[in-house]
Amino acid sequence: AERHRHLVRHVVVPERETRVRERFDATEGLVLVSGHRHFKMPPTVTIDTFYDNFFKGLLRPSLRSEVAYASDDKSPVMRLVADSFDKKINTTHDTLVAFLAPWCAHSQALHP
């Protein structure tokens, strides 16, 4: 971490700050936050390797996502989740995407 000190701000979030930890999916381990993306450090990697991979663009952001279901492929209305979003959206055609929240009554009223 020392050689990356001028590139990365290190912050320690106390264990009692559960809302902050949940926001960044940082219940345990190290998370690097860059803009609205966050990257979780695998337990098998050193911190220097983690930073090197980040600065080389080799890391994929961590996404909290529901599991994509196979039945989603059979419906005319697709249910997109973070893990399947890029695969399902066809960049050669315009696509209308409705972002719905399961806890929101207005969203549920729009649900197909």
Side-chain angles (χ1 to χ4, degrees):
E2 185 63 34
R3 68 185 164 110
H4 297 99
R5 178 177 231 148
H6 65 287
L7 300 171
V8 178
R9 179 181 303 149
H10 294 86
V11 177
V12 176
V13 178
E15 193 171 333
R16 69 181 178 277
E17 297 293 339
T18 55
R19 288 180 57 199
V20 175
R21 289 175 169 268
E22 287 172 3
R23 163 68 177 88
F24 294 106
D25 198 19
T27 51
E28 59 185 44
L30 184 82
V31 175
L32 191 139
V33 178
S34 175
H36 293 290
R37 301 175 306 156
H38 61 278
F39 304 85
K40 291 175 88 169
M41 186 174 100
T44 57
V45 175
T46 66
I47 194 166
D48 284 329
T49 301
F50 179 61
Y51 283 148
D52 288 341
N53 289 341
F54 172 76
F55 289 114
K56 290 177 186 174
L58 300 175
L59 299 181
R60 293 185 61 210
S62 297
L63 301 171
R64 286 189 292 186
S65 176
E66 293 184 32
V67 177
Y69 296 97
S71 63
D72 291 345
D73 293 333
K74 298 172 186 161
S75 171
V77 177
M78 287 186 262
R79 193 178 106 203
L80 298 174
V81 295
D83 291 337
S84 66
F85 192 89
D86 290 335
K87 279 192 294 188
K88 302 277 184 169
I89 296 297
N90 186 334
T91 57
T92 60
H93 295 92
D94 292 333
T95 305
L96 175 64
V97 177
F99 292 91
L100 306 174
W103 46 263
C104 175
H106 298 297
S107 289
Q108 292 308 304
L110 295 172
H111 196 274

